[in-house]
Amino acid sequence: MRPRTRVLLGAVATLTASGITFSTMSAGAATTDSDAAAAPAAGTAAVKMKVATHNVWRGRAQFKALGHVIGWQEMESAAARKRLREQLPKYSHFLPKSGPAKAVPISWRKDVFKPLDSGSVLTHKGEAKVTPNRYVNWVLLEHRSSQQRFFMVNTHFISGAWSKHPERQGRWKKHAGKLRDVVKNLHGRNTKLPIFVVGDFNRHRKVSLPGNVDYIRVKGAKGVPIDQSYATGSVTTSKVDRLKRFGSDHSAYRFTASF
């Protein structure tokens, strides 16, 4: 576990003992219904949660309760989104109005968090047989017990820009710039709120983000996978676990965050 030591939300070294804790899960397991909210012991963080990301291969994968907050990629069809709602009835979902933006929804346990705000930002236009319009989606969530708030950001970059199709690099770089703008703007709204960023970055290299939002290393990985996770440096996080594929062509990923 890699500690992040900066203090957050005006708290003192020992944070308020209100909020939730969750049972320990193995790297290949998904969150279960038994991971109910409970009062933590004195001296623990106000919120301890599992944050996950999964590219579900154009909606073909099984939708598992991977974490308490989840960013999905390639949720491309209405049928896939319907299955998401049916298979995860204990979750609420941010699905923007724009069709292509719905492919990168964000889900959260509705018994643990409530949504306060959300947004979707177009990063670049699409092109037939190349890419759909690409987006950065975000939600502002509040923990129901402790009232702690945080931003969750999810995105999916164009593929192939750093391998088979270098002509796509302009789009990829524009997307990265828009992501930085989103993170900067969210940080500017309240500099004390944690920001979590997940997604399929389609590049084996971490991205530099503003607001002290740092890349989180994947346990056992020598390099940087294309599916990446980031968190504000003041948040204590575990390393990222690489999980099963659950019927996708991508592994799912998950880390624990405390703040």
Side-chain angles (χ1 to χ4, degrees):
M1 187 167 186
R2 180 169 61 91
R4 297 166 177 242
T5 57
R6 298 181 184 88
V7 178
L8 171 72
L9 297 175
V12 294
T14 302
L15 296 175
T16 305
S18 60
I20 53 174
T21 55
F22 302 100
S23 61
T24 301
M25 293 182 281
S26 67
T31 304
T32 66
D33 292 342
S34 63
D35 296 317
T44 61
V47 178
K48 183 177 181 181
M49 65 181 188
K50 293 188 180 292
V51 181
T53 181
H54 195 199
N55 181 319
V56 293
W57 197 19
R58 299 180 180 177
R60 300 177 190 178
Q62 305 166 42
F63 305 127
K64 296 292 186 178
L66 301 170
H68 301 93
V69 187
I70 310 167
W72 311 94
Q73 302 88 43
E74 293 195 17
M75 194 76 68
E76 294 180 357
S77 68
R81 295 188 286 271
K82 182 174 183 291
R83 282 200 302 116
L84 173 68
R85 295 188 185 96
E86 292 173 348
Q87 293 180 10
L88 296 181
K90 294 191 176 184
Y91 287 74
S92 292
H93 316 279
F94 173 52
L95 292 159
K97 292 182 180 180
S98 172
K102 288 184 172 71
V104 282
I106 299 170
S107 302
W108 60 90
R109 282 277 295 265
K110 57 188 176 183
D111 59 329
V112 179
F113 305 106
K114 65 179 179 181
L116 300 180
D117 198 3
S118 59
S120 185
V121 175
L122 175 69
T123 64
H124 62 77
K125 291 284 189 177
E127 181 181 346
K129 298 183 180 180
V130 176
T131 179
N133 291 358
R134 298 281 176 167
Y135 289 84
V136 175
N137 292 339
W138 62 268
V139 293
L140 171 62
L141 298 175
E142 180 178 273
H143 181 242
R144 293 184 182 275
S145 176
S146 69
Q147 285 75 57
Q148 297 277 28
R149 299 177 180 184
F150 62 93
F151 292 106
M152 176 71 174
V153 181
N154 182 36
T155 196
H156 186 186
F157 282 68
I158 189 171
S159 65
W162 302 98
S163 54
K164 297 179 182 179
H165 302 281
E167 74 280 1
R168 300 180 184 182
Q169 287 182 16
R171 286 190 171 103
W172 193 101
K173 291 177 179 178
K174 186 175 182 181
H175 191 137
K178 291 288 187 179
L179 175 60
R180 292 186 183 99
D181 289 343
V182 170
V183 173
K184 181 180 179 180
N185 290 338
L186 295 179
H187 181 68
R189 287 178 56 171
N190 188 327
T191 59
K192 295 181 180 179
L193 294 187
I195 300 173
F196 301 98
V197 179
V198 299
D200 180 352
F201 284 68
N202 270 315
R203 189 183 186 188
H204 291 283
R205 182 176 177 180
K206 62 184 179 181
V207 174
S208 176
L209 295 175
N212 195 29
V213 176
D214 303 326
Y215 172 74
I216 309 172
R217 294 177 58 190
V218 176
K219 186 187 300 181
K222 293 182 179 179
V224 178
I226 62 174
D227 300 288
Q228 298 173 19
S229 303
Y230 297 75
T232 300
S234 52
V235 176
T236 299
T237 70
S238 67
K239 288 184 179 180
V240 176
D241 285 318
R242 191 193 308 266
L243 309 180
K244 295 179 180 179
R245 294 188 175 187
F246 304 111
S248 175
D249 59 342
H250 285 241
S251 297
Y253 293 82
R254 179 178 61 212
F255 66 94
T256 301
S258 302
F259 57 96

